Amino acid sequence: PALLRASSPELLRQLRGLALVRGGFVSEGEVAELLREVEPGLGRGRYQSDHWDRAITGYRETERRLRGGAGLALLLRVTPAFPPCRPPRPSAHVLDLLPEGGVGPHVDSVKFCGCTIAGVSLLSPSVLRLRSLRDPQEWLELLLEPGSLYVLRGAARYEFTHEILPDEKSFFGGLRVPRGRRVALIFRNDPPG
Ligand code: OGA
Ligand code: MN
């Protein structure tokens, strides 16, 4: 089944290569190793809500420099998604969401994040929705299976908000996508200047 849905074929064409999703980017064995590497940084319990930068609920997060074998291998494999002169930062943003947790619509701060965002989803499927800032009728949905990679760049990064749907809103078109706990490793590059 397609991993991308859009409000129109034109929009799908317009964002081709700018919003993309690749299933099976990390294997189950790698998933286990990645979780072992990043989970200690998340602390115990204490999921929070709200964030100065974006509406977010039921989450824990940390920035983690990847040092383990699976982490470094993943960093190497996501690097080609970035421009050669603007590689990803060596620290991944680790975002742990409860099933009922979601990330509200936002655009990543241009002060702290460059032109490319690449996210690897672990444990639970989820839906990432993009909505045009110019025309809210224009949207794109990405179905993020566990082990998948998505990339947002160019117009998809700057001209659309993105959000992760909480369990009660987690649908990919007519397809219900039941959310469990989801851990994402998000790679970003530095803004220019
Ligand atoms: C964010 C964000 C998306 C994800 O934290 O800014 O958009 O894949 N997260 O969890
Ligand atoms: Mn974001």
Side-chain angles (χ1 to χ4, degrees), residues 25 66 69-82 88 187:
F25 192 71
L66 300 173
L72 286 174
L74 182 62
L75 179 60
L76 275 181
R77 289 224 309 285
V78 302
T79 296
F82 290 75
F187 298 87

Side-chain angles (χ1 to χ4, degrees), residues 54 103 106-108 117 162 188:
R54 64 228 197 278
V103 184
H106 68 282
V107 176
D108 281 25
I117 301 166
H162 58 270
R188 297 181 174 90

Side-chain angles (χ1 to χ4, degrees), residues 53-54 93 95 103-109 113 117 128 150 152 157 161-164 186 188:
D53 201 20
R54 64 228 197 278
H93 172 202
L95 180 62
V103 184
H106 68 282
V107 176
D108 281 25
S109 162
C113 174
I117 301 166
L128 181 75
Y150 70 85
L152 303 179
R157 182 259 184 270
T161 61
H162 58 270
E163 62 192 296
I164 294 282
I186 305 161
R188 297 181 174 90

Side-chain angles (χ1 to χ4, degrees), residues 4-25:
L4 275 174
R5 301 179 64 245
S7 49
S8 73
E10 291 72 33
L11 186 66
L12 205 55
R13 210 160 31 237
Q14 191 190 318
L15 294 184
R16 183 165 298 156
L18 303 180
L20 54 95
V21 54
R22 192 121 64 84
F25 192 71

Side-chain angles (χ1 to χ4, degrees), residues 13-106:
R13 210 160 31 237
Q14 191 190 318
L15 294 184
R16 183 165 298 156
L18 303 180
L20 54 95
V21 54
R22 192 121 64 84
F25 192 71
V26 298
S27 70
E28 271 173 43
E30 285 175 300
V31 169
E33 204 181 317
L34 288 167
L35 285 170
R36 267 200 303 278
E37 183 171 346
V38 302
E39 277 197 305
L42 289 165
R44 285 175 210 288
R46 297 199 318 283
Y47 284 82
Q48 315 169 45
S49 280
D50 294 320
H51 192 279
W52 63 277
D53 201 20
R54 64 228 197 278
I56 182 167
T57 54
Y59 78 104
R60 305 186 298 187
E61 68 185 347
T62 185
E63 288 278 330
R64 192 146 180 112
R65 186 177 270 264
L66 300 173
R67 299 175 197 278
L72 286 174
L74 182 62
L75 179 60
L76 275 181
R77 289 224 309 285
V78 302
T79 296
F82 290 75
C85 58
R86 298 236 161 256
R89 290 193 283 259
S91 290
H93 172 202
V94 184
L95 180 62
D96 177 355
L97 285 177
L98 292 171
E100 62 273 24
V103 184
H106 68 282

